[in-house]
């Protein structure tokens, strides 16, 4: 059964970059008001959002304290976005080579070998520091 008529949840509409930029502002305001937190667990598109935001913070000030002491990323579906491009109204992925190891906090990246989107963007974990990055691939799908 196809779900074509059902709305698909996303934290922003990629055809309207301003909605994505607004989502990041909401996240930042929330973290400033309520954080910092010991850690974050992000599933699917939220993993993309968290990695994008942490890359942005690390690029802005490599010495800045991160809003989380660790991150667990489950079944990420899209590579991190280029936050600066998003500010200018363009949706594009971050340059993974240029941001390799930029996220300094310990991270765990977990996805299923049957989860095609997660397997396709598995190299996105390279933005996290290798010495404190843990990767686990289980034999299931997007769960």
């Amino acid at each position: 059964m196809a779900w074509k008529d059902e709305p698909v949840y996303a934290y922003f509409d990629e055809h309207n970059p301003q909605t994505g930029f607004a989502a990041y502002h909401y996240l930042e305001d929330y973290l400033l008001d309520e954080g910092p937190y010991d850690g974050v667990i992000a599933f699917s598109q939220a993993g993309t959002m968290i990695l994008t935001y942490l890359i942005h913070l690390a690029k802005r000030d490599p010495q800045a304290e991160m809003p989380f002491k660790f991150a667990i990323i489950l079944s990420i579906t899209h590579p991190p976005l280029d936050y600066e491009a998003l500010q200018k109204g363009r949706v594009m992925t971050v340059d993974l080579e240029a941001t390799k190891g930029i996220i300094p906090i310990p991270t765990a990246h977990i996805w299923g070998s049957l989860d095609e989107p997660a397997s396709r963007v598995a190299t996105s974990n390279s933005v996290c520091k290798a010495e404190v990055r843990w990767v686990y691939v289980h034999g299931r799908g997007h769960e």
Side-chain angles (χ1 to χ4, degrees):
M1 173 180 224
W3 295 90
K4 290 188 253 180
D5 297 330
E6 293 293 319
V8 176
Y9 175 77
Y11 68 95
F12 81 96
D13 177 357
E14 64 185 79
H15 300 292
N16 183 356
Q18 198 56 32
T19 62
F21 194 57
Y24 284 101
H25 275 287
Y26 294 139
L27 173 64
E28 187 164 50
D29 286 347
Y30 186 81
L31 291 173
L32 289 172
D33 290 343
E34 303 292 331
Y37 288 92
D38 287 337
V40 61
I41 299 174
F43 177 75
S44 197
Q45 291 179 358
T48 300
M49 184 176 203
I50 293 301
L51 291 181
T52 297
Y53 185 65
L54 293 176
I55 292 167
H56 163 67
L57 294 178
K59 284 173 70 176
R60 187 173 66 189
D61 181 0
Q63 304 306 314
E65 186 174 335
M66 294 284 116
F68 314 107
K69 294 177 186 164
F70 69 88
I72 299 171
I73 308 297
L74 305 166
S75 298
I76 190 171
T77 56
H78 297 83
L81 299 176
D82 184 317
Y83 190 88
E84 289 71 29
L86 193 59
Q87 287 177 315
K88 297 173 184 167
R90 295 188 321 269
V91 178
M92 55 191 287
T93 59
V94 72
D95 180 342
L96 293 176
E97 191 59 37
T99 55
K100 190 174 187 175
I102 196 168
I103 297 175
I105 62 173
T107 56
H109 305 264
I110 304 164
W111 70 90
S113 61
L114 301 178
D115 185 1
E116 184 184 326
S119 296
R120 191 176 59 245
V121 299
T123 58
S124 295
N125 66 47
S126 67
V127 300
C128 301
K129 191 173 184 179
E131 297 81 8
V132 291
R133 176 181 68 220
W134 182 75
V135 175
Y136 179 74
V137 181
H138 57 78
R140 308 271 315 246
H142 193 67
E143 52 193 272

